[in-house]
Amino acid sequence: MQFSPLAQQHADAPLISYDIKQDHKGYIWFASELDGLQRFDGYELSRWKTLKDTELQSGMANVNQLLVDSQQRIWVSTWGQGVTLLDENRNILLRYHSKAAPALQLPSDRAQSFFEDKQQRVWIGTVEGLRYVQMADQNSLHQVEMLQNVRVWQMTQSANGTLWLATSKGLYSLSEDLTQLQHKALPPLADEDISLNSKEIRTLLLVEEGLWLGTQLGLFFFSFELGQVTHRYAAEFGVINTLFEPEPGQLWLGSGAGLFRIKTTEAQKSPPEHILQTADIRKFFKDQTGVIWVASRNRGIFKMNPLPQNFVAVPFPPKPGMPDNTLRRIYSQNIIGDRIWLGVDHDLLSYDIKQQHWQKHLLPTHRPHNQIQTVTRDHKGQYWAATDLGLFLSEALGQDFSQHTLPETIKQLAGITAIAADPDGSLWLGIWEKGLIKWPKQNPEGQLEYYSITSQPGDAVISILSDQSDSLWVVSRFSGLYQLERSTGLITRYHSGADSLLKLPSDILLCLEKVNEHQFWVCTNQGLFFMDLKQNHSELYQVEQGLPDNRVVAINAQEPGTVWVSTKRGLTELNLESKTFRLFAEKANINPLLLETRALNRTASGQFWLGTAEALYRFLPSQMHDYKFNAHMVISKLKADQTQWLDPQSSVQTPLELPVHTKEISIHFSFLEYYFSDGHQYQYRLSGSEQDWNSIGHQNQISFNRLPPGNYSFEVRNSLEHSEQSTARLYFVIPAPLWQDKRLWLFVSLVALLAVWLIWQIRTRNLHQQNSRLNQLVRQRTTDLEQANLALNQQARTDFLTRLPNRLAFSEQFELLQRQAIRQKSPFTLVLLDIDHFKTINDTYGHDAGDVVLSKVAQTLNQRLRQRDVLARWGGEEFILLLPETSAQGALIICEELRQSLMQLMIEYDHQQISVTATLGIAQLDDVQLELVRWQSAADIALYQGKKTGRNKVVIYQGNAAASS
């Protein structure tokens, strides 16, 4: 019998508790002196309000008794403040106390007990009398006149309807119709303590033959057949507070001195078994799943595992200087013959399975061993121990381990992490950070062969698997799995990389289990991995497939049809046919966190040995009892941002409405089985978002962020027990924000349209008034802009000095007149004019004089040209002329006149006379369609010829030559 304190798992568990009850959903309720009424869902304790705000004198009411009636309401005794009735939704329905209205008035605010009888009456026992309420009318209290000023400790009802009362004045029977009351006296006791109330009965327990009565003076039995107390149990129990019958023939007594267990069917009474000593026990309670709860006044709440004991513990032998039950780390566990070898902390131990005897083996070293990694037996029957300080040999079982006969090279080895023996006597050794070493046939010279495996810093060989086959398998600490072929020396590495022949889920491995030459099971930190090298096939089992935890620490596949797997969440059995898991370790009071690596072995007889830090456990799979919990799945809490609902109620028709703009939704749930809460695994799905079940392992809550508005259905179930009872549902709706309401948008749209129409009407009237003014203003500004654009356009095409067209304007006029000449097939001539010795003028008279000369020349030329001719300044002292409908000969005449007029021109500047001459080049090309640059080039050639031959002349372009006049 093992009890575990609730406070070890939950720091906020009550320390002073008087009563425990369970409602129809499966929630456990605690009555506590310091914490009031608390609801427990296996993961979290929630305080419940039992007094109205105006009645609270301190932070929490002192709750001492509870009752869950047939209508699923909870009756709560708040010591010194009366009784509170909570409705089905756990809201305060009524308050009964000494200062209430007459119909709800109690004789005392200190209620001691509750009881619901077969007649649908709820009885309230107080320290000053008894009252009852008809379930059909809870608004009226009724009184039993025959019981005044008596403290009622407890009530029960026998099969014939008689009510039995344990009171401060003894045992009473009350007829079903409440008309007959009889006092049943205890027999006189010669040795009774006069300081105690010899009449008071504090508790009673109904059994088939009568009543067990607990008093300050001991345990008594009242026989229905005889109508009297027949005997007193001959033992000292202290003041008995509560009685409990866990099974027929067994009785538990809770007293101020602890828990006493007696067998009531024994003819010769054996001494009671004393458990939970020093605990002041006030109540026993057995829940729907069989867990037995114990409430104590000074040590909190305990619970006991109700499941059959599948595992038998074999404690470690005591170590001098260490307290009992000290946890000890197992570094290695091997079964050789009928003996289990353990490397435990600094010691090497072996356990004789048949003799059930421990033996300690000494290793002669100058300092204690930190890690004894493994023990193996070679072909000669010699035992080898591999440790961090070296290799040690025992030539036979029972002989000491030593290094005396070993070669020097072997003695010098240290940091040995693994060892295996070949049939030929060769030893394989794993050395920390140095890889794999072979000692061939244990040669006396100590010659070694080195293999480059796991030789990088921090890595190590942690396990070597050697048998009759050609392959040696090596498990590394974090570089994967190696296969070494003895015949060829070929090494194949299996790892998590893409280039691995068969990809592993992780390079961090802990163990390897060989099924046959091609099939293996591998412990990884990412799950249970199966590999078939012949079929090039692998399977990975994780939490999603039912594995308790992805961190696998040990495997044994020697049992046909199953694989036993040890994980950080407990021991489990994989059925290879159905691919399903059964969880065992957590249902056997084995702390899963204490399960050790590579510590799961099977003997030839089929018995398994499981290593933990607190003991060895043995079990036979054929005798293992499976267990399905009769528990409900519930949604225990819903949080939407800062809003919270405990035990939220919803349905498809009435979903729970969450606040608008909810950002984060957190849903808490629980499978209401209370001994193995940490072992339960869950799956969920959220309709409206996703339809598939999602596995979340042992996590008992899930959060969703920023779900869009809409209706949702959340489902959660126990992933190992799929049933309607083990599935809970929550329906909720996230309302759309007001700005997303279509009706609001329709109304806003209509209002907006009306406002737009009114504004349009006003604006139209104003616009009509402004339209004429704007039109006039626009016309005026348009005219101004046109004139400005015209001026700008003219300015962009006019030379600022001579006021003649510039190159741009001339190019546009050339294209226009060229198209006209082509269309009319008329002659077309272009002339370039250059002022002779213009640089001399600038150098002699200055640049201002040069500007005056250019302006006068332009004025003179413009005065002597025809209206249709185009004159422009080409650049510097050059001018260009376009003479439409004019041949080269006609142009020669015009140009000669221009040259003569310039010769006669006298320009006065700064009281000085300046004379100028000019040279002109004429071009008339046969192909009129040629570009301006070709015309200008031809005229330039003629001009250059004129300059070259003396200046002040007119030259006509003729191919590559020019003719002057």
Side-chain angles (χ1 to χ4, degrees):
M1 184 185 302
Q2 182 176 353
F3 292 89
S4 60
L6 187 64
Q8 282 188 355
Q9 298 173 317
H10 303 276
D12 55 345
L15 298 178
I16 302 176
S17 183
Y18 294 99
D19 201 4
I20 303 173
K21 291 293 186 292
Q22 186 174 29
D23 62 23
H24 70 294
K25 291 183 178 179
Y27 290 114
I28 295 292
W29 296 85
F30 299 135
S32 171
E33 179 176 320
L34 301 178
D35 301 295
L37 179 64
Q38 289 181 290
R39 189 198 74 178
F40 185 50
D41 64 5
Y43 299 97
E44 184 179 5
L45 289 119
S46 303
R47 291 187 176 184
W48 225 265
K49 186 176 180 181
T50 58
L51 294 177
K52 297 179 181 179
D53 294 337
T54 56
E55 298 176 300
L56 278 174
Q57 299 176 358
S58 60
M60 192 61 60
N62 177 356
V63 177
N64 68 304
Q65 294 296 322
L66 301 172
L67 171 70
V68 179
D69 66 23
S70 56
Q71 296 183 11
Q72 301 309 318
R73 302 175 301 184
I74 298 181
W75 297 76
V76 184
S77 168
T78 55
W79 188 254
Q81 293 174 297
V83 171
T84 300
L85 175 60
L86 303 179
D87 62 18
E88 299 86 343
N89 297 322
R90 308 302 175 241
N91 298 315
I92 296 176
L93 181 63
L94 284 173
R95 289 275 295 127
Y96 306 90
H97 52 88
S98 61
K99 297 179 181 178
L104 304 176
Q105 197 170 93
L106 291 173
S108 170
D109 286 333
R110 294 185 292 173
Q112 187 69 58
S113 60
F114 293 115
F115 181 70
E116 181 181 2
D117 64 17
K118 300 174 184 177
Q119 288 70 40
Q120 296 291 297
R121 297 174 295 208
V122 173
W123 294 84
I124 304 174
T126 75
V127 297
E128 295 183 17
L130 187 65
R131 298 290 185 272
Y132 70 90
V133 175
Q134 295 286 353
M135 293 283 283
D137 181 20
Q138 68 269 7
N139 292 300
S140 180
L141 280 174
H142 303 276
Q143 146 177 1
V144 179
E145 298 292 344
M146 295 172 286
L147 280 172
Q148 299 290 335
N149 300 320
V150 62
R151 184 172 189 170
V152 181
W153 283 93
Q154 193 176 344
M155 292 182 63
T156 189
Q157 188 173 27
S158 55
N160 62 3
T162 301
L163 294 166
W164 298 90
L165 290 78
T167 76
S168 57
K169 295 182 180 180
L171 177 65
Y172 286 90
S173 65
L174 181 62
S175 62
E176 183 178 354
D177 60 3
L178 312 183
T179 59
Q180 298 180 18
L181 181 70
Q182 294 183 5
H183 181 257
K184 309 292 183 179
L186 293 177
L189 302 172
D191 57 347
E192 65 188 18
D193 189 340
I194 60 174
S195 65
L196 300 175
N197 184 350
S198 60
K199 296 181 179 179
E200 184 174 63
I201 299 177
R202 298 174 68 94
T203 183
L204 50 77
L205 177 67
L206 176 70
V207 293
E208 185 176 354
E209 299 85 2
L211 297 168
W212 286 101
L213 308 176
T215 74
Q216 300 182 52
L217 301 175
L219 178 65
F220 297 85
F221 185 77
F222 178 86
S223 171
F224 288 153
E225 182 180 359
L226 300 177
Q228 63 182 15
V229 174
T230 58
H231 62 274
R232 176 188 182 190
Y233 198 93
E236 291 296 332
F237 303 107
V239 178
I240 301 175
N241 299 314
T242 184
L243 298 171
F244 177 61
E245 187 181 37
E247 57 186 56
Q250 191 177 114
L251 184 66
W252 289 10
L253 294 79
S255 77
L259 186 156
F260 296 88
R261 185 171 67 167
I262 63 176
K263 293 182 179 180
T264 58
T265 56
E266 292 180 343
Q268 292 184 348
K269 306 301 182 184
S270 59
E273 182 181 359
H274 193 185
I275 310 167
L276 297 179
Q277 300 178 18
T278 73
D280 185 359
I281 295 175
R282 293 309 177 105
K283 191 63 65 77
F284 297 108
F285 177 74
K286 187 174 184 178
D287 70 20
Q288 299 166 1
T289 64
V291 174
I292 297 176
W293 300 80
V294 181
S296 76
R297 188 181 182 184
N298 59 346
R299 291 178 58 188
I301 294 172
F302 299 85
K303 55 182 179 176
M304 192 197 82
N305 181 8
L307 301 183
Q309 295 299 315
N310 293 318
F311 297 80
V312 178
V314 178
F316 296 129
K319 184 174 182 178
M322 294 179 64
D324 294 341
N325 301 323
T326 300
L327 298 181
R328 305 192 68 182
R329 172 74 184 276
I330 297 179
Y331 288 98
S332 64
Q333 178 175 313
N334 306 82
I335 292 182
I336 303 175
D338 293 326
R339 190 173 289 266
I340 300 176
W341 292 84
L342 295 180
V344 182
D345 292 332
H346 307 296
D347 298 327
L348 176 59
L349 306 175
S350 68
Y351 179 76
D352 190 317
I353 298 174
K354 290 184 176 180
Q355 301 297 325
Q356 299 184 10
H357 171 70
W358 284 101
Q359 182 178 352
K360 182 178 179 181
H361 303 270
L362 299 178
L363 299 176
T365 56
H366 61 280
R367 61 186 176 90
H369 292 263
N370 291 324
Q371 297 179 8
I372 300 173
Q373 295 291 2
T374 187
V375 175
T376 190
R377 184 171 62 182
D378 64 16
H379 66 301
K380 296 180 181 179
Q382 301 178 121
Y383 291 85
W384 297 87
T387 79
D388 58 325
L389 297 184
L391 185 64
F392 297 85
L393 170 64
S394 172
E395 295 183 353
L397 185 63
Q399 294 188 13
D400 293 337
F401 283 84
S402 70
Q403 292 184 321
H404 296 315
T405 60
L406 301 182
E408 286 301 321
T409 55
I410 303 301
K411 291 180 180 179
Q412 293 173 6
L413 294 176
I416 303 176
T417 57
I419 186 172
D422 277 355
D424 65 355
S426 298
L427 291 183
W428 296 87
L429 305 173
I431 309 296
W432 178 262
E433 295 185 346
K434 293 183 179 180
L436 181 68
I437 295 177
K438 179 181 180 182
W439 183 14
K441 299 182 180 180
Q442 301 178 29
N443 62 83
E445 295 82 10
Q447 295 178 354
L448 301 175
E449 297 177 4
Y450 292 84
Y451 294 84
S452 181
I453 292 178
T454 68
S455 56
Q456 60 265 40
D459 202 0
V461 174
I462 60 174
S463 178
I464 304 173
L465 196 155
S466 175
D467 53 21
Q468 300 287 341
S469 66
D470 184 51
S471 293
L472 182 81
W473 291 89
V474 178
V475 180
S476 74
R477 189 164 178 243
F478 54 68
S479 60
L481 180 65
Y482 296 84
Q483 179 187 14
L484 171 61
E485 295 181 9
R486 293 182 176 88
S487 58
T488 64
L490 177 65
I491 298 175
T492 303
R493 176 175 171 242
Y494 297 90
H495 53 92
S496 61
D499 58 339
S500 178
L501 292 178
L502 200 149
K503 186 176 180 181
L504 300 182
S506 171
D507 289 336
I508 301 175
L509 309 179
L510 291 175
C511 68
L512 178 71
E513 179 78 1
K514 184 176 181 180
V515 180
N516 53 47
E517 290 301 313
H518 309 289
Q519 296 180 332
F520 299 85
W521 292 92
V522 187
C523 304
T524 81
N525 65 342
Q526 297 297 321
L528 174 65
F529 186 68
F530 172 76
M531 52 191 291
D532 188 327
L533 301 181
K534 185 176 182 180
Q535 302 294 330
N536 195 29
H537 168 72
S538 65
E539 295 177 9
L540 179 63
Y541 297 87
Q542 295 181 310
V543 171
E544 289 77 6
Q545 286 75 40
L547 191 69
D549 191 277
N550 288 340
R551 298 166 296 175
V552 178
V553 297
I555 304 172
N556 192 290
Q558 298 175 25
E559 187 76 9
T562 64
V563 178
W564 288 87
V565 185
S566 180
T567 76
K568 285 298 183 182
R569 284 279 186 170
L571 180 69
T572 185
E573 178 193 29
L574 169 63
N575 186 303
L576 294 178
E577 182 178 353
S578 62
K579 306 292 185 182
T580 57
F581 289 89
R582 288 195 305 167
L583 185 66
F584 282 102
E586 292 204 7
K587 298 179 181 180
N589 298 326
I590 298 176
N591 187 339
L593 297 178
L594 301 181
L595 294 175
E596 295 287 14
T597 304
R598 298 180 296 281
L600 180 60
N601 307 107
R602 180 181 182 272
T603 65
S605 63
Q607 188 179 66
F608 279 78
W609 289 84
L610 178 68
T612 76
E614 59 184 356
L616 288 181
Y617 290 88
R618 58 181 171 86
F619 64 93
L620 280 170
S622 60
Q623 297 178 3
M624 300 289 279
H625 298 282
D626 197 5
Y627 187 86
K628 282 193 173 293
F629 296 111
N630 181 30
H632 292 269
M633 176 70 72
V634 295
I635 308 291
S636 57
K637 183 166 64 175
L638 171 66
K639 291 183 68 176
D641 293 337
Q642 303 302 316
T643 307
Q644 174 176 290
W645 293 264
L646 292 176
D647 193 25
Q649 304 298 313
S650 65
S651 66
V652 177
Q653 293 76 22
T654 57
L656 200 63
E657 184 170 329
L658 306 189
V660 181
H661 304 299
T662 295
K663 294 180 181 179
E664 181 179 11
I665 298 172
S666 179
I667 303 174
H668 298 242
F669 40 83
S670 176
F671 185 61
L672 297 180
E673 184 287 316
Y674 293 96
Y675 206 85
F676 313 107
S677 299
D678 291 339
H680 299 314
Q681 299 183 48
Y682 300 101
Q683 294 175 327
Y684 82 92
R685 64 182 177 186
L686 181 68
S687 66
S689 173
E690 49 199 5
Q691 295 299 324
D692 296 331
W693 288 97
N694 300 283
S695 177
I696 51 176
H698 304 275
Q699 182 179 331
N700 73 304
Q701 67 177 78
I702 187 74
S703 295
F704 303 98
N705 291 308
R706 300 186 182 278
L707 288 177
N711 290 280
Y712 293 91
S713 170
F714 174 81
E715 295 178 273
V716 62
R717 68 184 184 186
N718 186 315
S719 61
L720 300 180
E721 296 189 16
H722 297 171
S723 66
E724 186 65 25
Q725 181 173 282
S726 62
T727 303
R729 297 173 178 84
L730 176 67
Y731 302 92
F732 62 93
V733 59
I734 302 177
L738 200 57
W739 56 270
Q740 290 185 359
D741 193 326
K742 294 182 179 179
R743 294 169 298 179
L744 175 64
W745 277 109
L746 179 61
F747 174 76
V748 171
S749 299
L750 291 175
V751 172
L753 287 173
L754 178 61
V756 168
W757 182 81
L758 291 174
I759 293 172
W760 178 78
Q761 290 292 326
I762 297 171
R763 292 287 295 168
T764 301
R765 191 164 51 193
N766 293 336
L767 288 173
H768 280 307
Q769 296 173 358
Q770 297 176 10
N771 189 46
S772 57
R773 294 196 300 270
L774 287 174
N775 285 336
Q776 183 178 356
L777 182 60
V778 167
R779 284 195 298 271
Q780 179 62 40
R781 291 191 175 179
T782 301
T783 302
D784 294 343
L785 285 173
E786 288 176 350
Q787 292 176 355
N789 286 335
L790 213 56
L792 287 173
N793 189 43
Q794 184 66 24
Q795 185 177 356
R797 288 166 171 75
T798 302
D799 179 58
F800 75 97
L801 180 62
T802 62
R803 311 309 300 170
L804 293 177
N806 57 16
R807 279 196 182 203
L808 176 62
F810 181 82
S811 298
E812 293 173 349
Q813 287 295 316
F814 175 83
E815 292 177 0
L816 180 64
L817 294 175
Q818 185 184 42
R819 288 195 295 270
Q820 180 179 335
I822 293 170
R823 193 167 52 251
Q824 296 177 359
K825 298 182 180 180
S826 59
F828 191 72
T829 306
L830 186 135
V831 179
L832 270 179
L833 182 149
D834 185 82
I835 301 174
D836 298 331
H837 305 294
F838 185 73
K839 184 175 183 303
T840 304
I841 295 173
N842 278 336
D843 293 342
T844 304
Y845 301 103
H847 287 281
D848 289 342
D851 291 346
V852 172
V853 169
L854 289 172
S855 180
K856 289 294 184 179
V857 168
Q859 183 178 357
T860 300
L861 293 175
N862 207 24
Q863 289 175 353
R864 283 165 175 73
L865 287 174
R866 299 169 297 181
Q867 185 175 2
R868 62 186 178 184
D869 297 335
V870 178
L871 172 64
R873 184 181 178 189
W874 192 245
E877 67 271 24
E878 283 189 339
F879 295 87
I880 191 167
L881 292 82
L882 185 61
L883 305 176
E885 299 180 8
T886 304
S887 65
Q889 293 302 319
L892 179 61
I893 297 170
I894 296 172
C895 289
E896 188 61 33
E897 290 179 358
L898 294 175
R899 186 183 67 80
Q900 292 291 336
S901 63
L902 291 177
M903 287 178 60
Q904 298 172 6
L905 180 64
M906 296 300 295
I907 301 169
E908 184 175 351
Y909 177 76
D910 197 19
H911 307 293
Q912 298 184 64
Q913 297 291 327
I914 302 173
S915 61
V916 296
T917 62
T919 303
L920 296 86
I922 301 173
Q924 181 184 12
L925 303 181
D926 295 335
D927 188 355
V928 180
Q929 298 184 22
L930 291 174
E931 296 178 351
L932 174 59
V933 65
R934 297 288 297 277
W935 285 83
Q936 184 264 335
S937 178
D940 194 54
I941 291 172
L943 177 64
Y944 177 75
Q945 186 65 29
K947 290 283 189 180
K948 187 176 179 182
T949 56
R951 293 184 173 83
N952 192 23
K953 58 178 67 177
V954 178
V955 180
I956 300 175
Y957 171 76
Q958 295 180 349
N960 290 330
S964 60
S965 64

